[in-house]
Amino acid sequence: MVSLASMEPLLPESNRDLEDLAIELTSAASRFAARLHPIMRASVGDLVRSMNCYYSNLIEGHNTLPIDIDRAMAGDFAQEPEKRNLQLEARAHIEVQQLIDSGEMPFPVLSLEGICWLHGEFCRRLPDDLLIVRNPDTGEEIKMVPGRLRTRHVKVGEHIAPEPDMIEPLLKRFVEGYSLKMLSKLQKIISVGASHHRLTWIHPFFDGNGRVSRLFSHALLRDLGIGSELWSVSRGLARNESDYKRLLSQADQPRRGDLDGRGNLTQAGLSEFTAFFLSCCLDQVAFMEELLKPEELLNRIEIWCSEEVQMQRLPKGSWPLLREAVLSGEFSRSQVQALTGYQERQARTVLSSLLNCGVLTSASAKGKVRLGFPIDIIERWLPRLYPAVR
């Protein structure tokens, strides 16, 4: 029988390794966030949300290709029902993260309402086929209600999730434990990894718990001023998927003996998972920071642009506009003549070519212009963002 004490401990014991990881993550995330122009951040954010969705789905065994995610965001869906459903699932994930990133989450992240909101917003965007949960043992089908806590017993791998009538009390204890005002900033950062495990352990919904946990962690990192639209822990978790799932499972285990804390679950297992989670965060901040160094990004874009001009796929004069978008974040259309050195008609032709192929974007026909990241050039501009084979 599960009790509130069954989930303890909520936090790893204080240790220097975890604190060092939290300090390093805070420093790296702050440095990275300050480096990019705010407009450039918005452009990168659109791309990273798509990447986050791709890797989060990959962890769930849904390999929705980046090009199909890109098409879904443009409203271009496949005729094949299964592929279309996965595109709708991808778009749902991205739209919920957009709400988080724009500050439109109506409840605190650490609240029962906030956790249910994440599940509800994600699932209500899904097609009916993806709301059907099938019992692998009996074949029984259950229609999942978005945002509603599960009402049946479930087993996930070797983990027997808490019985339904304990889910709400456990979530309230979860919120209380991770919201304590006495926690230091370092403890709160460390708690993101620990809470990620404990939320998956509770398994509050029939399905979608993995995605909700990753969206929850993203939102909590943002709340703490660490996370941003510029990087995604899901990429790190997916690239180390076997360790991610193994360490999640290990942290489900009971206490290993008298030297393994004083709670019901293993303290050592929780510490190991938390260290892994924070290391993935730090690795992804470092990866994206290196990838988006202005001088390196400019060099890659210039080489690409030079090749496109040489192949006559882009007009001469394209590079100064792309460079300005990287350095200034955005520019007005009235600057195009000065930037290219061309007369008005020729300058407009250059701009139109770049807008048509998506490497520059604008919110309106006369609005300012900023850098775009069409999926077909991502590997050239931002290598290794996605796996080599797509």
Side-chain angles (χ1 to χ4, degrees):
M1 178 69 179
V2 172
S3 68
L4 292 181
S6 300
M7 190 170 56
E8 301 293 336
L10 292 179
L11 286 167
E13 289 181 340
S14 296
N15 70 72
R16 185 61 181 268
D17 289 342
L18 286 177
E19 290 175 359
D20 285 348
L21 275 172
I23 291 169
E24 196 174 353
L25 177 58
T26 302
S27 175
S30 299
R31 182 181 64 243
F32 179 33
R35 173 170 283 179
L36 290 184
H37 189 284
I39 301 297
M40 182 68 170
R41 284 185 61 151
S43 297
V44 172
D46 292 340
L47 174 64
V48 170
R49 275 186 287 272
S50 179
M51 179 192 74
N52 188 22
C53 159
Y54 168 80
Y55 281 108
S56 191
N57 282 354
L58 203 61
I59 292 168
E60 301 300 323
H62 294 180
N63 187 7
T64 313
L65 299 178
I67 186 64
D68 291 326
I69 296 173
D70 196 54
R71 287 171 179 159
M73 296 310 295
D76 179 10
F77 296 100
Q79 293 298 313
E80 181 189 344
E82 185 176 350
K83 190 172 182 179
R84 178 185 175 86
N85 284 347
L86 291 178
Q87 285 183 293
L88 287 166
E89 177 187 61
R91 190 170 77 168
H93 189 287
I94 291 170
E95 287 178 351
V96 175
Q97 191 178 328
Q98 282 175 327
L99 293 173
I100 295 169
D101 289 341
S102 60
E104 295 179 60
M105 189 171 177
F107 305 103
V109 182
L110 273 169
S111 69
L112 175 60
E113 297 82 2
I115 293 166
C116 289
W117 178 87
L118 287 170
H119 186 265
E121 286 297 309
F122 175 65
C123 289
R124 72 178 181 83
R125 290 170 162 80
L126 298 180
D128 286 345
D129 287 354
L130 295 185
L131 294 178
I132 301 297
V133 181
R134 293 173 179 84
N135 185 316
D137 298 322
T138 66
E140 179 188 10
E141 293 187 349
I142 301 167
K143 177 70 177 291
M144 183 169 60
V145 179
R148 185 175 296 179
L149 301 176
R150 64 178 164 84
T151 55
R152 305 277 187 97
H153 293 268
V154 297
K155 183 180 179 183
V156 188
E158 297 301 313
H159 174 53
I160 299 173
E163 50 265 32
D165 61 357
M166 282 302 299
I167 295 173
E168 188 168 335
L170 284 167
L171 285 174
K172 288 180 177 178
R173 170 64 187 132
F174 173 94
V175 168
E176 175 191 50
Y178 292 116
S179 300
L180 290 175
K181 292 182 179 179
M182 66 184 70
L183 295 179
S184 68
K185 179 66 179 289
L186 284 184
Q187 286 175 315
K188 288 179 179 178
I189 294 168
I190 290 168
S191 78
V192 179
S195 63
H196 184 90
H197 174 268
R198 292 309 193 240
L199 188 55
T200 64
W201 182 88
I202 296 171
H203 199 84
F205 308 103
F206 277 119
D207 198 13
N209 293 280
R211 291 183 188 85
V212 167
S213 295
R214 290 185 288 276
L215 285 167
F216 168 83
S217 295
H218 174 78
L220 190 54
L221 283 164
R222 284 192 66 96
D223 250 22
L224 294 172
I226 302 298
S228 76
E229 69 274 33
L230 296 175
W231 61 276
S232 161
V233 69
S234 289
R235 181 179 181 275
L237 299 177
R239 285 168 59 84
N240 298 277
E241 183 180 352
S242 60
D243 287 338
Y244 176 45
K245 293 181 175 179
R246 175 180 60 82
L247 291 168
L248 273 174
S249 179
Q250 282 185 192
D252 290 342
Q253 302 304 310
R255 189 165 63 121
R256 300 170 186 173
D258 292 341
L259 299 180
D260 191 18
R262 293 187 294 274
N264 178 64
L265 299 177
T266 168
Q267 178 82 259
L270 183 61
S271 293
E272 288 163 10
F273 177 79
T274 301
F276 165 78
F277 186 91
L278 294 178
S279 295
C280 283
C281 289
L282 183 58
D283 178 67
Q284 292 310 299
V285 172
F287 170 74
M288 290 300 295
E289 182 179 25
E290 182 68 25
L291 204 59
L292 290 167
K293 280 183 178 177
E295 62 275 16
E296 299 292 338
L297 179 60
L298 282 167
N299 184 53
R300 290 192 296 268
I301 295 175
E302 184 177 14
I303 292 171
W304 172 86
C305 184
S306 176
E307 292 174 2
E308 293 296 298
V309 170
Q310 189 174 5
M311 297 294 291
Q312 299 185 345
R313 289 191 290 254
L314 284 179
K316 293 180 180 179
S318 295
W319 167 237
L321 301 187
L322 292 170
R323 180 179 59 199
E324 185 67 16
V326 174
L327 295 176
S328 300
E330 65 181 6
F331 59 88
S332 66
R333 293 168 190 253
S334 62
Q335 295 175 256
V336 173
Q337 278 185 256
L339 288 167
T340 60
Y342 293 157
Q343 294 298 313
E344 182 180 357
R345 185 174 178 180
Q346 190 177 3
R348 278 205 311 266
T349 298
V350 176
L351 177 61
S352 294
S353 296
L354 295 171
L355 289 168
N356 287 340
C357 70
V359 291
L360 290 180
T361 65
S362 182
S364 66
K366 295 184 179 180
K368 290 186 175 181
V369 177
R370 69 180 192 180
L371 200 65
F373 292 94
I375 196 67
D376 56 336
I377 56 89
I378 291 300
E379 186 59 29
R380 294 294 306 278
W381 288 15
L382 300 171
R384 297 182 295 116
L385 198 67
Y386 290 105
V389 178
R390 296 199 294 272

